[in-house]
Amino acid sequence: PLNRQTRLSVMAKVTVTLLGTAQDGGVPQAGCSCQRCISVHEGQSPELYPVAIGIIDEEGRFHLVEASRTLSRQLRVWAKAHPNQSLEIISPIQSVSLTHLHLGHIDGLGQFGREVMGRQNLRLLASKPVMDELATKSCLGPFCPELIESGSKVELGKGVSIEFHRVPHRDNEVGQTHGIVVRGRTKSLLFLPDHDTWPETLALHNKGSIREWLNHLRVDVALLDGTFFTIDEVAGTRIDCSGIPHPPILDTLQLLGKRMEGDADISFIHLNHTNPVIDDPQKRKQVEELGWRIGKQGQVW
């Protein structure tokens, strides 16, 4: 492996790597026998991990956003996306940031404890409601908690900071949910895996359109909630779909239309196992013909 000084010379800029593209349950999802999930079980399709991103700062230090139960495999995805670092896995992690409390975003936190990595005083950045709930579950042992307020900017490492931006998402369950903006010296990225609806999110930020909000945030890349292609995917399996609010991809496409000069580079993430964009070329084409993308594990910005 490269020594630290050589690794520092390799890192010319901050990078963000997409470590997972799936909704909290991943693909395959537990208890599901749909063809999409069975295809993964039988080795015919790749496993999709719950959403997370990995940030490398200008000193070559590693920062994680979200901590899923598939963390070990995601660290391998991260390493393979950066072959010039000559690492088999990414380690050690210098900080963990959390958007909210739902299952796939926090169920890997225990792996930093004595049973696995044995970390101590690891930076954990999250809102106060998130941190308070984690404390009641005795999840903070390996961490040094840092409370982050909406709109605040925090330095992660050399050349990179993050900002938390509040979004509405099942607030009666998870206390608070935030999108996270990652800012380097020349480019910025919005990580927004979960929110309820565009009208609610835009109203909260007093903005009239998705473009206006992204322009206000000054982001070059936006990773947006694409849980469902349409709500019809789950309407046949749920008596009440109101408890799983996410803006369907088709609704977002209708609000955005075609990509225009100066627009952020948008990719859809947090894909439910029912979402046809995972493996249906025609559905992906509907997204890509407008100039947008479907997120890919291992993708680097």
Side-chain angles (χ1 to χ4, degrees):
L2 300 179
N3 61 38
R4 177 155 184 80
Q5 190 59 42
T6 305
R7 281 179 52 213
L8 290 180
S9 68
V10 167
M11 296 307 302
K13 61 178 182 179
V14 171
T15 65
V16 176
T17 304
L18 184 57
L19 305 180
T21 59
Q23 177 264 4
D24 300 39
V27 183
Q29 191 164 110
C32 181
S33 59
C34 75
Q35 186 54 47
R36 190 170 290 122
C37 289
I38 294 301
S39 177
V40 179
H41 284 304
E42 294 183 346
Q44 298 169 357
S45 302
E47 181 179 0
L48 301 183
Y49 308 131
V51 287
I53 56 174
I55 304 163
I56 305 181
D57 66 26
E58 290 179 353
E59 292 183 325
R61 298 182 185 275
F62 308 115
H63 307 270
L64 183 67
V65 179
E66 317 290 43
S68 89
R69 62 194 172 282
T70 61
L71 181 59
S72 64
R73 298 194 289 283
Q74 289 175 310
L75 296 181
R76 177 64 175 159
V77 167
W78 197 355
K80 290 177 70 175
H82 297 274
N84 57 357
Q85 295 218 30
S86 296
L87 293 174
E88 294 298 329
I89 62 163
I90 293 295
S91 184
I93 303 298
Q94 299 297 320
S95 72
V96 179
S97 301
L98 303 174
T99 60
H100 67 302
L101 279 167
H102 278 155
L103 175 74
H105 305 259
I106 64 168
D107 59 1
L109 289 175
Q111 297 189 59
F112 291 99
R114 67 176 65 185
E115 294 86 352
V116 186
M117 286 187 268
R119 297 294 303 276
Q120 293 181 335
N121 298 316
L122 175 61
R123 291 180 73 189
L124 180 67
L125 297 87
S127 67
K128 186 177 188 302
V130 168
M131 211 72 81
D132 287 347
E133 183 65 20
L134 292 175
T136 67
K137 299 179 185 300
S138 301
C139 293
L140 297 181
F143 301 104
C144 181
E146 295 183 30
L147 301 182
I148 309 299
E149 295 184 1
S150 183
S152 62
K153 185 175 181 178
V154 179
E155 183 175 342
L156 275 189
K158 185 175 181 181
V160 62
S161 61
I162 60 171
E163 299 167 5
F164 277 50
H165 294 273
R166 181 80 181 271
V167 293
H169 185 55
R170 295 160 64 178
D171 291 348
N172 61 322
E173 300 175 19
V174 296
Q176 286 185 2
T177 298
H178 290 85
I180 293 179
V181 173
V182 182
R183 294 205 186 278
R185 296 186 191 274
T186 60
K187 289 187 176 182
S188 298
L189 176 147
L190 170 65
F191 178 67
L192 181 64
D194 292 78
H195 66 131
D196 285 347
T197 70
W198 280 116
E200 292 173 274
T201 294
L202 295 175
L204 180 63
H205 293 278
N206 196 29
K207 296 294 180 286
S209 70
I210 300 172
R211 277 188 177 83
E212 183 184 359
W213 187 45
L214 296 182
N215 288 337
H216 173 76
L217 292 175
R218 297 179 292 110
V219 294
D220 305 280
V221 177
L223 307 182
L224 300 183
D225 184 345
T227 307
F228 307 114
F229 194 71
T230 71
I231 197 61
D232 295 339
E233 293 163 36
V234 292
T237 61
R238 301 270 183 138
I239 296 175
D240 179 10
C241 296
S242 63
I244 46 173
H246 293 273
I249 290 177
L250 272 188
D251 289 5
T252 304
L253 295 180
Q254 289 173 359
L255 292 171
L256 285 169
K258 287 188 176 181
R259 185 178 181 184
M260 300 187 295
E261 185 177 355
D263 281 344
D265 181 5
I266 292 174
S267 293
F268 291 99
I269 60 170
H270 197 264
L271 308 176
N272 196 55
H273 68 118
T274 59
N275 196 322
V277 297
I278 291 172
D279 54 14
D280 185 332
Q282 292 305 312
K283 294 295 189 290
R284 295 178 76 96
K285 187 177 180 181
Q286 286 183 249
V287 176
E288 293 166 353
E289 282 185 335
L290 293 174
W292 316 115
R293 308 173 191 240
I294 305 300
K296 183 179 179 181
Q297 286 179 176
Q299 191 171 352
V300 180
W301 293 271

